């Protein structure tokens, strides 16, 4: 009887251990499956990319939005009225991307604001600055003593004055990084060079013999940017495109957006809204850095 009872107790113990073992194994399997499902859901989660930009940037955004979102992203465009505010939003984390500013402007912004922004490769496009006139058909026709408007901020004034130098209208000192009117060493036509805010140079065409203007400002004023007398030869080194914090320069979502700007269909949409304003890079090697 004792042997029989002992046998029954041993059998019960073995059965209990077996049941517990099966239960533990099932629990571990379920846990593993649940973890795998969670990881899959996290992987499949759509990233919403927040983009800060101006009215011009919004044209770029609308041009690539469909293509970019087809890659699996969601987007939110946040409109601002100036480029510095766009960069501030990106630097602070309010936006993931600041769209459409020039790389050199971004690097200058970093120096002044202690931020760490940069442009994602591949680079998108560049625009230009030209010398325009509504009174004269060539540089040679500009009379002695005429007034010519140039932009008054450091980088753009330098480019403007170098355009006038290329046209043979003035000569500049070669020992300065950013030329100003004070650096003109020869002015054979005794031209009066008027410095002014960049957006005002287009309006100045009504009264002055000529003015150095951004292609973008000419287009915004309903004028044809391709009608310049002479244009710059340096703006190809001022790429525009996708800007983000340096830590995200190689993030897939940032690179994918930058690559959209190399798509011919996207470029055609931009050119349709802004004809003769932008030229698109085919290689980052086109930029001298």
């Amino acid at each position: 009887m004792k042997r029989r009872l002992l046998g029954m107790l041993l059998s019960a113990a073995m059965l209990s251990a077996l049941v517990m073992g099966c239960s533990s194994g099932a629990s571990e399997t379920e846990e593993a499956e649940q973890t795998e499902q969670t990881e899959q859901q996290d992987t499949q989660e759509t990233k919403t990319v927040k983009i800060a930009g101006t009215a011009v940037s919004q044209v770029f955004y609308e041009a690539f939005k469909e293509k970019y979102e087809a890659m699996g992203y969601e987007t939110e465009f946040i409109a601002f009225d100036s480029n510095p505010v766009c960069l501030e939003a990106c630097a602070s984390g309010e936006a993931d991307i600041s769209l459409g500013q020039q790389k050199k402007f971004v690097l200058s912004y970093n120096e002044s604001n202690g931020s760490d922004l940069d442009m994602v490769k591949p680079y998108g496009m560049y625009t230009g600055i030209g010398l325009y006139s509504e009174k004269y058909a060539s540089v040679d026709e500009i009379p002695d003593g005429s007034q010519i408007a140039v932009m008054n901020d450091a980088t753009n004034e330098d480019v403007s004055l170098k355009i006038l130098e290329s046209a043979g209208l003035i000569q500049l000192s070669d020992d300065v990084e950013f030329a100003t009117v004070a650096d003109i060493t020869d002015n054979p036509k005794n031209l009066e060079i008027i410095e002014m805010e960049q957006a005002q140079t287009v309006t100045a065409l009504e009264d002055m013999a000529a003015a150095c203007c951004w292609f973008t400002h000419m287009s915004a004023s309903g004028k044809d940017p391709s009608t310049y007398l002479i244009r710059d030869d340096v703006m190809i080194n001022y790429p525009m495109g996708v800007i983000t914090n340096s830590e995200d320069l190689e993030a897939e979502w940032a690179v994918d957006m930058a690559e959209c700007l190399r798509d011919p269909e996207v470029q055609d949409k931009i050119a349709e809204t802004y004809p003769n304003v932008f030229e698109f890079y085919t290689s980052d090697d086109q930029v001298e850095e």
Side-chain angles (χ1 to χ4, degrees):
M1 181 71 179
K2 286 182 182 178
R3 283 186 191 148
R4 188 174 174 189
L5 181 60
L6 182 60
M8 289 174 65
L9 289 171
L10 285 171
S11 297
M14 289 174 63
L15 181 60
S16 174
L18 183 61
V19 170
M20 286 175 69
C22 289
S23 174
S24 174
S27 176
E28 286 173 6
T29 303
E30 286 171 6
E31 236 178 80
E33 287 175 353
Q34 190 171 6
T35 301
E36 188 178 347
Q37 285 174 359
T38 302
E39 287 174 353
Q40 286 176 350
Q41 284 172 356
D42 289 344
T43 303
Q44 292 168 0
E45 239 177 57
T46 303
K47 176 173 176 60
T48 298
V49 182
K50 295 182 178 180
I51 304 163
T54 62
V56 174
S57 310
Q58 190 159 7
V59 172
F60 302 161
Y61 166 69
E62 294 295 344
F64 69 64
K65 181 177 185 289
E66 183 177 352
K67 177 180 177 63
Y68 184 65
E69 291 187 345
M71 297 179 184
Y73 303 103
E74 290 182 357
T75 60
E76 178 186 346
F77 186 84
I78 309 169
F80 293 102
D81 59 4
S82 72
N83 288 317
V85 181
C86 294
L87 296 180
E88 182 184 349
C90 186
S92 68
E94 182 181 352
D96 300 299
I97 295 288
S98 183
L99 181 64
Q101 294 75 39
Q102 290 177 333
K103 179 169 182 174
K104 292 196 177 185
F105 177 73
V106 172
L107 299 181
S108 173
Y109 177 89
N110 285 343
E111 289 179 14
S112 303
N113 296 275
S115 52
D116 189 24
L117 302 172
D118 206 343
M119 185 168 290
V120 181
K121 290 186 177 181
Y123 296 148
M125 72 284 282
Y126 65 98
T127 187
I129 297 173
L131 177 66
Y132 296 90
S133 176
E134 294 184 346
K135 297 178 175 63
Y136 306 104
S138 71
V139 169
D140 293 338
E141 291 181 17
I142 297 174
D144 291 5
S146 294
Q147 290 184 324
I148 295 181
V150 298
M151 294 177 257
N152 63 3
D153 54 292
T155 303
N156 293 326
E157 181 168 5
D158 177 68
V159 175
S160 298
L161 291 173
K162 285 174 180 172
I163 290 173
L164 300 185
E165 185 176 46
S166 297
L169 293 171
I170 60 171
Q171 190 170 336
L172 296 166
S173 172
D174 22 347
D175 59 354
V176 291
E177 184 178 1
F178 293 106
T180 68
V181 171
D183 299 305
I184 297 173
T185 57
D186 191 22
N187 184 358
K189 287 193 172 187
N190 294 310
L191 300 171
E192 186 181 355
I193 311 299
I194 311 294
E195 299 162 294
M196 62 179 63
E197 201 275 324
Q198 58 177 269
Q200 296 175 346
T201 59
V202 177
T203 308
L205 289 170
E206 296 175 11
D207 304 311
M208 298 189 185
C212 289
C213 311
W214 278 105
F215 289 7
T216 47
H217 290 150
M218 289 292 288
S219 177
S221 299
K223 302 178 188 295
D224 183 355
S226 68
T227 58
Y228 51 78
L229 305 181
I230 183 172
R231 68 157 292 172
D232 72 272
D233 58 2
V234 297
M235 295 311 295
I236 191 171
N237 300 318
Y238 288 67
M240 303 169 67
V242 173
I243 295 103
T244 190
N245 282 286
S246 293
E247 63 188 26
D248 293 323
L249 284 178
E250 295 183 5
E252 187 175 7
W253 51 268
V255 175
D256 282 347
M257 186 180 295
E259 287 179 344
C260 284
L261 292 174
R262 288 283 178 92
D263 184 275
E265 289 185 8
V266 171
Q267 294 173 356
D268 286 346
K269 289 177 183 177
I270 295 170
E272 186 177 344
T273 303
Y274 289 115
N276 302 317
V277 173
F278 300 106
E279 293 183 59
F280 299 92
Y281 294 106
T282 54
S283 167
D284 293 333
D285 293 337
Q286 292 174 266
V287 181
E288 290 181 14
E289 299 189 80

